[in-house]
Amino acid sequence: MSDDMDDSSAQGPGATGEEPGTKPAAGSTRSSRASWRRIYLMARPRLTRANVFALLLASLLGFALATQVRQTQAEGLEDLRQDELVRILDDVTQNGSRLDEEIAELEEARDRLANSEGNSPEALAAARERAETLGILAGTERATGPGITLRIEDHGGEVDAATLLDTVQELRDAGAEAMQVGDARIIASTWFRDSEEGVVVDGRTLEPPYTFVVIGDPQTMSSAMEIPGGVSESIRSKGGEVTVHEFSSINVEALHSNSSPRYAQPHPEPTDGLQ
C-alpha cells in the first residue's frame, strides 16, 4: 500500500515536468504575440481611396452644418438692435390690425346680406355679381380679359374633331376661363364631330383654319401649348401649323344659346327636420 501512495504522489504538480511558478515556454509566448499582432493589423485603419473620400465628405458636411448654425444665430432676433425690434413689432401689430379690420368688414357684409330683404342694394349687388359669373361660365355673357389667340392651319385635312377637343382640354388645364373657336362659344356641354366639310361644334360647321380666342393667363396657356408631346406637336405631326399670340386684353364675343333642360329639374331644398 505504501508503494501505491508513492506512485500517486509522483503524479502531483511536478509530474508534468514544470515546477510550480515557472514561466511559460518561449514558443508559446511568441505564438501569443503573433496572434495579437495579426489582430492589430486587421483592426487598424487603412488609408484607402474610399476612406479618404468618406473623410472628405464628413469634413464638408461638418463645415456646412457649422456655417448654417452660425448663420442662423446671426439672423436671430437676439442680434437685432432695439430700434429694429421695435420696427418689427410695429409691422406685426399693423398687419394684425389690418387683418382684423378686413375680418370685421367681411363679417359686417355677411350680416347685412343675412338680415336684409331680397331687394336691398347689398343683396342686389351680390346677386348681380353671381349672375355675371354664371353667365360667363354658361356662355350667355360676353367676356373680356387677358388671353391668347390660337390659330390652327390644316393643310392636309388631318386635323379632326378629336384634335380640337384635345386643344380645348389642354387650354382648360392651363386655366382658360372663357373661350370660343370660330363663332362657337365653348362651354362644359360643347361637343365636337367630324364632317365632310370640316368639324361640327355644337351644330356649327367650322372650316380650317381654326381660330381659338381664349381668356386666361397668356404665358401659362402659351407654354402649355408647347409641351413636348402636346397639342402643337400632335398638330405638326399631321402636317398642320400652330400660331399663338398673347394679348393683355382680348374679347370673347361668341354666345351660347341657352336652352331649357328637358329632363333635369332643380333638386328641392330639404325642409327642417327632413333630409
Side-chain angles (χ1 to χ4, degrees):
M1 183 170 181
S2 61
D3 294 338
D4 294 338
M5 293 177 63
D6 292 340
D7 292 340
S8 63
S9 63
Q11 301 298 326
T16 60
E18 296 179 358
E19 295 296 332
T22 58
K23 296 181 179 179
S28 176
T29 302
R30 285 194 299 270
S31 177
S32 177
R33 290 178 179 176
S35 299
W36 281 108
R37 180 175 177 79
R38 284 195 298 270
I39 294 175
Y40 168 74
L41 292 176
M42 293 174 61
R44 70 174 183 175
R46 287 172 291 180
L47 188 61
T48 62
R49 290 184 177 180
N51 291 340
V52 173
F53 185 68
L55 179 61
L56 180 60
L57 286 179
S59 301
L60 292 176
L61 180 60
F63 177 76
L65 290 175
T67 303
Q68 181 66 31
V69 170
R70 190 178 300 110
Q71 183 178 1
T72 303
Q73 292 177 350
E75 294 177 352
L77 295 177
E78 65 273 9
D79 295 332
L80 297 179
R81 299 191 305 272
Q82 183 177 0
D83 57 339
E84 294 175 339
L85 292 173
V86 172
R87 186 175 66 253
I88 293 176
L89 181 60
D90 290 340
D91 292 340
V92 172
T93 303
Q94 292 177 2
N95 290 334
S97 300
R98 179 175 54 82
L99 292 175
D100 290 339
E101 291 177 359
E102 292 181 0
I103 292 174
E105 292 176 358
L106 292 174
E107 290 178 345
E108 183 180 356
R110 179 201 61 191
D111 294 339
R112 286 199 307 268
L113 291 175
N115 298 326
S116 62
E117 298 180 356
N119 57 355
S120 66
E122 293 82 2
L124 292 176
R128 188 180 303 108
E129 181 179 359
R130 181 63 174 170
E132 291 175 354
T133 301
L134 294 177
I136 292 175
L137 295 177
T140 58
E141 293 287 342
R142 294 179 174 86
T144 184
I148 64 171
T149 58
L150 174 68
R151 182 182 176 91
I152 299 176
E153 300 280 355
D154 184 17
H155 303 297
E158 298 295 330
V159 177
D160 54 5
T163 303
L164 297 186
L165 181 58
D166 289 341
T167 303
V168 171
Q169 298 296 347
E170 286 282 356
L171 290 170
R172 284 174 173 165
D173 292 341
E177 297 179 354
M179 71 179 87
Q180 69 180 66
V181 54
D183 58 351
R185 182 70 173 267
I186 299 176
I187 60 173
S189 62
T190 298
W191 52 269
F192 294 78
R193 178 174 61 82
D194 291 317
S195 69
E196 296 181 356
E197 294 80 12
V199 177
V200 180
V201 181
D202 277 351
R204 295 181 175 88
T205 302
L206 305 182
E207 298 179 357
Y210 305 105
T211 301
F212 287 82
V213 180
V214 191
I215 292 178
D217 183 75
Q219 186 175 2
T220 301
M221 293 188 295
S222 298
S223 300
M225 292 299 99
E226 296 300 332
I227 293 177
V231 171
S232 296
E233 186 173 330
S234 175
I235 293 174
R236 295 187 183 106
S237 67
K238 298 179 180 180
E241 296 180 4
V242 178
T243 305
V244 178
H245 294 289
E246 299 182 8
F247 297 90
S248 59
S249 180
I250 197 170
N251 297 326
V252 172
E253 299 286 349
L255 297 178
H256 177 76
S257 57
N258 194 14
S259 58
S260 301
R262 296 176 55 188
Y263 305 103
Q265 299 294 328
H267 190 280
E269 292 292 336
T271 58
D272 295 338
L274 298 178
Q275 298 295 335

